[in-house]
Each structure stands twice: as C-alpha cells, then as structure tokens.
Amino acid sequence: MRQTIVDKIWAAHEILAREGSSLLFVDRHLLHEGSHHAFDKIGAAGRKVRHPELTFGVADHYAPSSELRANAASATMIERLSANTARHGIGSFGLGDARRGIVHVAMPEQGLTLPGLVIVCGDSHTATHGAFGAFAFGIGASEVAHVLATQALWQKKPPAMRITVTGELPFGTTAKDLALHIIGRIGTGGATGHAVEYAGAAISALSMEGRMTLCNMTIEMGARSGIVPPDETTFAWLRGRPMAPKGAAFDRAVQSWKALRSDAGADYAREVVIDAGEVAPMVTWGTSPEQVAPVTGAVPEPAAGGDAEALDYMGLSGGESLSEIPIDRGFIGSCTNGRYSDLLAAARVLAGRRLAVPLLVSPGSSEVARQAEESGIAAIFRAAGAEWGMSGCSLCVGMNGDRVQAGERCASTSNRNFRGRQGPGARTHLMSPAMVAAAALSGRIADVRAMELAALPEAAESFEAARAGS
Amino acid sequence: MQPFTTVTGPGVVLDRDNIDTDQLIPARFMKRSRTEGYGDQLLRDLRFDEDGEPDPAFPLNRLAEPPVLMVAGKNFGCGSSREAAVYALVDHGIRVVVAASFADIFRGNAGKNGLLTIALGDAERARLVRFVERERASAELGRLTIDLETQTIAGEGLETIEFDIDAGLKRRLLLGLDELSETLEDEPMITAFETRHFAERPWVVPANR
C-alpha cells in the first residue's frame, strides 16, 4: 500500500494494536508548568517516569515577561515544575537557564525536535514540531501521566488530509498570513481530527521558522497534527544544534530521514489546494481564527456571516473597514510568532520610528533574545518605545501577569482571538509581526505593504546574512 | 474513574459553536490541584460579569438544579488542550456533552474522566434542544436518562435518541477503567519494542543532555 509520511512514522512507532487503536511509542515528551496534574496522578500511584532521558521540561506558560508583573502564584507553578522534574530526574529549563523559552521555540532550537519522531506535549500547539517532519500533537493531563509512566500513548490513526500550496507568497505576506488565509477558507473545523500534510512550492520555499508558524496554526483548523516532509532546509537548520546528533551520526540520520516522504499516489481523505498568490496580509475581526479577512477588507455584516455575538464582544459593526479600526496596544511574541525572523520582520517596520500605542515584545526564547541583542534589533524595539520583555507565553494566554484590560483592543501575533484569551473582556486581532508593528506605529490596523521600510543598521543586516548562510 | 452506566437529570442548552476551552475554564484559574475542584469556575466569564455578579440570562444560571447534560453546537472544546476544561464540566455535575462536533483533544480528555461526549446530527440535536427548552419553560425540569449500555438518550415525550460510541471507550467507561493500568499489563511489549527502536534509530536518545 502507498503510504503517507504519517503512515510511515506511525508504522515505525506502533508497539501493538487493539480495539482499533494503536499503542505508539513516544520519542520526545515535552513538559511545562501545566504538567502538575499528571505528576500528581503518577505520584499518587507511586509510579516512576519510564524514560526521563526522553522527557524535557521548560517554564513558559507562567514565566513573567517583566519582574514588575511577576506574582507569587505563578512563581509557585514554576517551582512545582522544577520540583517535579528534579524528583524524577528529568532535565528542565527553569528561570535563568539560557536554554529556556516557549516549549515550541526552545526545544527545536536545542535540536530536540528531529524528523520522524513522535513528539507529544500537554499543549495544543505541539503541532508546531511537525515543521521538521515529526508526528507531533497536543495531549491532555491524563495522557501526559500515561506517557510519563509508559513512554507510550493509545491513539486512533487520524485520517490524512493534504493541503497543497502552489505558487509564491506575495510581497508583505508571511506564513502567518498563509495560515490565517487557509483557516478563513476551510474554517476552524475544516481539518478536525485529521493529520494535515503540507505540500507544494510555497511550502518548500518557507524557512524552518515559517514552517513552524504554519504547523503551529494547524491546530486552529481543528487538525490533530500538521507536517512538512523534511528536506535540505530542515537538515541544514538542524546541523550543529546542541542536542541533535553530531558528525557521522548526523549524516547517518539524514540518510534515514530522506525516506520520510509520502509515496506518490498515497491516499488522502481530504485534499485542499491553495494558491499562495491570493494571500494578503490577514487580520481577524471576531472571536475565532476563522473570522478573518484581508487587511484591505471590511468587517462582514451579520447577514453575511458577521456573527453578531462576536461583533458585539469585539465592539465592531458590520461594514467597518479593517484598516480604520483603532488599537490600544500591540503584542509580538508567542509560539506562533516569537522567533528571530518574526522579530526581524517587525524591526524592519519599526526602525527609525516611534510607536503610537504601547507594544510588548516577548522573544520566543532566551536564545532569540540573545540573538536580537547581538544583532541590534532589540535596540530598534527599545528606540521605538516598545517594552522588551523576558521570554514566555506572555500575552498570548492571560495567566502569567500579562493581560489586556477589558474593552482594550490588541493587535497580536499570537494564535487565538478567543473571548478572554488575553484577559477578561480583551479584544484580540490576530496578524503577522510586521502587521502588528505597522498597527502599533499607526494606532490603528494598517496595511504594512504601504509602509516604507527603513534600512536596518549594518550590524543587523550582516547578522542576518550570516544567520541565513549558516 | 467513576463508572458510567446510567445518568438521569436535567439538561441545559448552550446553543453556540466554537465553545473553546478558554471559555470553559479561563487560564487564570488553572493553578488549582485536582482535589480543590473546578466546578465553580465553569464558563466563569460567561456566567458572571466583571464584578462577579451572575448573569441571570445565561442558561446555566437559570436552573434550579445542576444539569447532567449540556447541548452545544459545532467544534465544542476547541483550542487549548487543558484537561481542566473537562474537570470544570464534571465537577459542575455534567456527565454528558452533546454537540454537532467536538475538538479532538477535548474529546480524548473527556473519555479519560468519565465525561461522555455524543456527536449528533442536526435533526436529532434539534429535537434534544427543543425538549430541554420546552421543559425549562414549564414549571418542572424535564429529566433525561442517558444509558451507555443501550447507547440511548430518553425522556418523557422525547423520541428516544440513539448514539454511537467507540467500543473500547464504552468498555472503559462502563467499568470505570483507567487506561494506564491496562497499558502497564503490556509492559513487556513496550520493552521489546524499545530495544529494537533504539538500535535502529540511535538519534532518538538526544546527544549532550
């Protein structure tokens, strides 16, 4: 039978099958502070962690982006993670560790995410790791406990869905715009329960960071996972990462990873074809990521799908131009758009200008922050008047001290515009990092394509050239 | 896990799509341990206003008796994988959620905590909604009986609704079985698999830990 890449990874990890489900071996189990329920469960039963060397923790959800907003309750959650991981001999990146960052930024950076692995984490955005050709998905606390104790997980094989993106992304658009465009097209239930595989020229052309953004947002289509088969871009990005295999071991691994692609003629339960050329800078107007339109568009009338409840919550009326909507603040960060290239794209817009409204930047990891300091783009954010925060989930999820106030409107690079996600009553507009920068400069949602980009300082350009060449 | 055989009680209708787990349990309430309970925070920001006053118009606030069944629209439980969303429902007394469709991770979490999730087609779901709404309008709350063994939802004056469920999940729910204790019986197979897997793919164990 002709197999998809997920079929191949599945077959290589199936320990046994029963009642229509498979017990899959888990190669990487990633933990954050939310793992406390699972540790309590195995603790109560007196169970051990089966493979601490395949398990990694990191403090991200409750990590404060500023000492000023740090609080005792969040600190307790972080200490609990340290205590639980230490008790079971699990390596964990706590506050102050140079490797720390958002789990879906820091773990790939350390070379822990590799092609062909089965990767799970008690976080829905685990789909991010599919960018490397891994089969990666989010799980709940009971499943986390199950993996801690057995290094395996019962799963029903998800039906396969292929999203082929042809052509080329136009000037001023990014993987984030592509993701929002796809979600707008197929809906938040458009891939429910499916293992999505990305294909096509526009996908091959994406950087690893762009692929991570796209796979990350795949959960917002309802998918179980998103995957991009590994290629030379993947292998080049992984070579030399701290915990990736080294030297001849790496070369042998690459030989094996090259076989990780779907067979011609493999079967997909669903196929979608997207023309990248049609993608524009996208902005959400409602309380679900599918409530999205190009920045040149308008908020739909309730009669035309403009969800009256969402419009009421967002304080918008049908027919309003998106680019007329004033904003109160901006946020750049999250597991979706907190990587170096995301910050660089925003810095190109901000260079030499001053913000009209407050902007919080939380780099996706301490390593991203270090690179941004070294290249000089952190200085660009500061000069523009932005707050340069510490790394963590920050304003993407109102649980660590960062919060948008009730009724405030935030232009955000995060992944969910749900009611109350950034704080009770907060109004979120999702968009790309460059679009958030443009909005924060204008004080309203703005089309970044209309803005002139200042040249970056030479240090930042040469840093980027060296980075791209590595 | 509490076994699920038959449950009887009133229902509640939350007739909207995309009820995400951030609404079911806002992130700021997730620091609690399991034993502290999550029921009082279920749908917190929809049930209460900024001052903590209950919204009298919200369906869950209009019931004299806590419901055992909730009916909702499409894509129920989407978003964050937080199992606390299931804890909030279960701790509030809800044992069954009926929806047009469910998000994947939520549905898995539900099954592991004795919360039955039932996906129904539009016509049957509409019949159930009508039943709950009609009963709520009358003086006494109508009671629904959800029987897992026969896979039915019944109520006085309601044409009995049949539902589908995965056979393995049904068995575990009926017996209140924990998946983990079952898996541990297969431990020798896991060990055998690992020996082969690590030999064939040495990179699975990270370098320089």
Side-chain angles (χ1 to χ4, degrees), chain B residues 34-49:
Chain B
R34 186 68 193 89
T35 48
E36 284 172 271
Y38 281 76
D40 57 326
Q41 310 292 16
L42 173 68
L43 295 160
R44 179 68 175 62
D45 293 339
L46 292 176
R47 280 165 62 207
F48 300 94
D49 68 14

Side-chain angles (χ1 to χ4, degrees), chain A residues 96-343:
Chain A
D97 192 315
R99 299 167 296 180
R100 195 187 66 79
I102 305 172
V103 61
H104 310 309
V105 179
M107 300 303 180
E109 215 167 57
Q110 292 304 317
L112 285 168
T113 301
L114 300 174
L117 300 188
V118 169
I119 302 178
V120 301
C121 172
D123 187 278
S124 57
H125 290 109
T126 307
T128 310
H129 305 264
F132 294 83
F135 180 47
F137 50 93
I139 58 178
S142 295
E143 292 176 316
V144 171
H146 192 281
V147 179
L148 285 173
T150 65
Q151 201 61 32
L153 193 61
W154 287 100
Q155 289 286 298
K156 273 198 179 339
K157 196 177 205 176
M161 173 165 170
R162 182 163 60 185
I163 301 180
T164 303
V165 188
T166 59
E168 212 176 307
L169 282 172
F171 167 76
T173 64
T174 65
K176 179 65 163 290
D177 301 297
L178 172 60
L180 288 171
H181 176 89
I182 298 172
I183 296 166
R185 175 77 64 84
I186 71 174
T188 47
T192 296
H194 286 69
V196 169
E197 176 182 338
Y198 290 101
I203 303 299
S204 304
L206 286 177
S207 67
M208 283 318 297
E209 298 185 341
R211 293 177 191 184
M212 282 191 261
T213 301
L214 181 61
C215 287
N216 173 283
M217 292 291 286
T218 307
I219 182 73
E220 311 307 334
M221 306 164 198
R224 187 109 191 101
S225 60
I227 198 166
V228 177
D231 58 13
E232 291 304 326
T233 304
T234 322
F235 308 142
W237 198 92
L238 285 171
R239 189 181 291 277
R241 298 269 157 194
M243 293 194 236
K246 299 286 177 314
F250 185 83
D251 296 335
R252 275 195 301 275
V254 168
Q255 284 316 308
S256 164
W257 294 338
K258 283 183 174 167
L260 290 170
R261 43 190 57 258
S262 297
D263 298 333
D267 248 358
Y268 295 89
R270 203 167 166 218
E271 292 248 28
V272 172
V273 178
I274 300 280
D275 175 2
E278 290 176 6
V279 177
M282 301 295 280
V283 176
T284 62
W285 50 263
T287 57
S288 165
E290 68 187 3
Q291 295 173 333
V292 66
V295 63
T296 48
V299 179
E301 301 283 355
D307 185 347
E309 271 185 356
L311 291 183
D312 179 55
Y313 180 84
M314 293 297 289
L316 296 172
S317 335
E320 272 182 76
S321 292
L322 282 171
S323 61
E324 297 296 318
I325 298 173
I327 61 150
D328 299 298
R329 57 180 59 253
F331 170 63
I332 296 178
S334 84
C335 60
T336 307
N337 276 138
R339 299 182 181 83
Y340 182 84
S341 56
D342 297 317
L343 302 192

